[in-house]
């Protein structure tokens, strides 16, 4: 974590000013929440629409905060709490993080994409950690607030940082990239998430491609080579891109593609085949699905860029710790196996999850529990119907939906299924009761929806 005096903190933030009486006060780490440890840290109060962190500065002082950033238009800081005065605490947080990143000798890998960025971040972290000291984004703290705090929590002796970058609109990835200054930029894919804000997949692709904005000279770009929109952007920006460019994907024209893929409920095994050089055989990740195999290829590419030996890459990937609610398997009280992939959903990721369900061996029923995919805008109804059209009795045995939009899935696939095999619900209690009667030993039940639908509550009822 950042360790500095207030005079050093002030020097890292343009226009900041430390009180002359407290210039030598030392801080170790940063914080913004008085519900978390603050002893010895720099308290950074942020102002939101319904709260102002400055109101809690007194609590931060009582909790042992060493000092605070303080916005000049908020009056005087609490007595007894040394302060660094700034014009805007959010902007100062971002400037401090950018300065700290550049002060360290760390190599930064930035990861963005419509789907799979958290899993890919976890895989890159695992592949590098087998041989190096690596810091990564916790959970999905990947926005204009979470990313700076992630950087400031990084140990000074870290060799690598794997930073996830999320967005909801144009310009946000560029801002994050300029803070993080990545040595390697990874784009996992382009899906339909944020169609409501951006209007088209082409606009989404451009927003993701903003990650090159802060790419350091001599860096590298790693992208999903099966996506024509990304290939077109690479050609468009050819002159400003680094020479090191790596495409990964299912197609054999990529720089890395998979072979000998084996999918099971507990994970995926595969061979990574490079365009040149020896293949890495017997790789595995504890996440099932061909989409996760492609994410793992990005991790292989990054680790090899930095000279990690193949045996260490193999070791790291096999032992990775996935972030929660991403293809987690749990056992229901009835004996059914539940696949919890309910952290987020888009048409691309939902089709991938359903393809996985179809591939997995199963001695009983395969049941898909699908909730609304949010933030799709005016295309929401059509895209849910496309999921319904994607489903068939050859993929799943039962389809149960939850939510107003997901009802379109049920409506679309209903004619192809036998009576009683497709049902639409708008009440989680009724959905859970139906699953308790339906799913038993040997059955597989997939849960997939946007996070806002909270399908994990149904899983909890079954467990």
């Amino acid at each position: 974590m950042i360790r500095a005096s207030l005079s050093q903190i002030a020097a890292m933030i343009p226009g900041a000013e430390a009180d002359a009486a407290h210039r030598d006060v030392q801080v170790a780490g940063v914080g913004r929440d008085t519900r978390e440890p603050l002893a010895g840290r720099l308290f950074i109060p942020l102002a939101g629409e319904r709260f102002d962190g400055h109101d809690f500065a007194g609590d931060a002082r009582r909790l042992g905060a060493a000092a605070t950033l303080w916005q000049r238009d908020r009056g005087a800081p609490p007595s007894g709490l040394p302060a660094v005065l700034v014009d805007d605490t959010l902007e100062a947080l971002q400037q401090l993080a950018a300065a700290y990143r550049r002060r360290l000798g760390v190599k930064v890998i930035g990861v963005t994409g419509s789907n799979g960025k958290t899993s890919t971040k976890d895989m890159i972290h695992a592949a590098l950690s087998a041989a190096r000291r690596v810091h990564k984004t916790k959970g999905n703290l990947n926005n204009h607030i979470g990313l700076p705090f992630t950087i400031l929590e990084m140990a000074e002796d870290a060799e690598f940082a794997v930073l996830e970058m999320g967005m909801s609109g144009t310009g946000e990835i560029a801002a994050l990239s300029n803070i993080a200054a990545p040595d390697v930029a990874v784009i996992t894919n382009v899906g339909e998430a944020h169609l409501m804000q951006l209007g088209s997949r082409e606009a989404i692709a451009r927003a993701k491609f903003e990650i090159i904005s802060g790419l350091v000279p001599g860096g590298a770009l790693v992208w999903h080579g099966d996506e024509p929109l990304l290939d077109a952007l690479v050609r468009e920006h050819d002159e400003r891109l680094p020479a090191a460019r790596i495409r990964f994907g299912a197609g054999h024209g990529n720089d890395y593609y998979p072979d000998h893929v084996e999918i099971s409920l507990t994970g995926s095994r595969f061979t990574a085949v490079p365009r040149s050089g020896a293949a890495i055989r017997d790789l595995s990740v504890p996440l099932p699905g061909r989409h996760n195999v492609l994410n793992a290829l990005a991790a292989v590419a990054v680790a090899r860029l930095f000279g990690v030996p193949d045996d260490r890459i193999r070791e790291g990937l096999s032992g990775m710790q996935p972030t929660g609610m991403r293809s987690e398997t749990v056992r229901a009280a009835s004996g059914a196996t539940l696949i919890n992939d309910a952290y987020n959903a888009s048409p691309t990721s939902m089709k991938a999850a359903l393809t996985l369900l179809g591939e997995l061996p199963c001695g009983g029923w395969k049941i898909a529990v699908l909730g609304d995919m949010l933030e799709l805008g005016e295309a929401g109804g059509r895209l849910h119907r496309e999921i319904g059209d994607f489903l068939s009795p050859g993929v799943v045995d039962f389809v149960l939906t939850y939510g107003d939009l997901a009802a379109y899935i049920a409506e679309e696939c209903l004619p192809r299924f036998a009576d009683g095999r497709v049902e639409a619900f708008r009440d989680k209690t009724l959905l859970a009761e139906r699953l308790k009667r339906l799913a038993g030993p040997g059955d597989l039940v997939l849960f997939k929806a946007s996070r806002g639908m909270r399908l994990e509550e149904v899983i909890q009822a079954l467990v």
Side-chain angles (χ1 to χ4, degrees), residues 247-330:
R247 300 167 77 244
F248 67 93
H252 287 201
N254 289 295
D255 297 301
Y256 284 91
Y257 64 88
D259 198 6
H260 304 297
V261 178
E262 300 175 14
I263 306 297
S264 71
L265 188 59
T266 57
S268 307
R269 188 172 295 277
F270 63 101
T271 295
V273 183
R275 183 187 294 272
S276 60
I280 312 180
R281 304 184 185 280
D282 200 32
L283 291 166
S284 65
V285 289
L287 287 172
R290 293 179 183 272
H291 56 297
N292 284 313
V293 169
L294 298 186
N295 294 336
L297 288 177
V300 170
V302 171
R304 275 192 157 185
L305 263 178
F306 290 109
V308 179
D310 291 350
D311 60 336
R312 304 306 296 273
I313 295 174
R314 186 181 296 108
E315 173 190 341
L317 288 179
S318 65
M320 72 164 286
Q321 299 295 317
T323 299
M325 286 198 292
R326 287 167 173 82
S327 300
E328 291 180 331
T329 58
V330 295

Side-chain angles (χ1 to χ4, degrees), residues 149-268:
F149 274 107
T150 297
I151 291 174
L152 291 168
E153 282 299 303
M154 181 166 39
E156 293 183 343
D157 65 349
E159 297 176 271
F160 292 92
V162 190
L163 303 178
E164 183 178 332
M165 300 182 186
M167 59 148 228
S168 58
T170 302
E172 294 179 17
I173 296 294
L176 297 178
S177 181
N178 282 303
I179 294 170
D183 296 271
V184 179
V186 179
I187 307 176
T188 61
N189 53 35
V190 177
E192 299 83 2
H194 307 304
L195 269 178
M196 183 168 64
Q197 295 92 335
L198 295 174
S200 68
R201 288 187 73 248
E202 289 78 7
I204 293 169
R206 287 192 176 277
K208 299 299 182 186
F209 209 75
E210 290 174 8
I211 196 171
I212 70 170
S213 297
L215 195 61
V216 302
L221 175 65
V222 179
W223 77 97
H224 194 293
D226 297 334
E227 174 52 72
L229 291 173
L230 292 177
D231 282 348
L233 287 167
V234 170
R235 291 192 295 271
E236 178 181 332
H237 295 275
D238 179 69
E239 292 185 0
R240 60 181 294 200
L241 290 176
R245 307 175 190 183
I246 301 174
R247 300 167 77 244
F248 67 93
H252 287 201
N254 289 295
D255 297 301
Y256 284 91
Y257 64 88
D259 198 6
H260 304 297
V261 178
E262 300 175 14
I263 306 297
S264 71
L265 188 59
T266 57
S268 307

Side-chain angles (χ1 to χ4, degrees), residues 350-365:
M350 190 168 280
K351 288 177 182 177
L354 290 168
T355 299
L356 166 63
L357 182 62
E359 291 178 335
L360 290 172
C362 175
W365 301 119

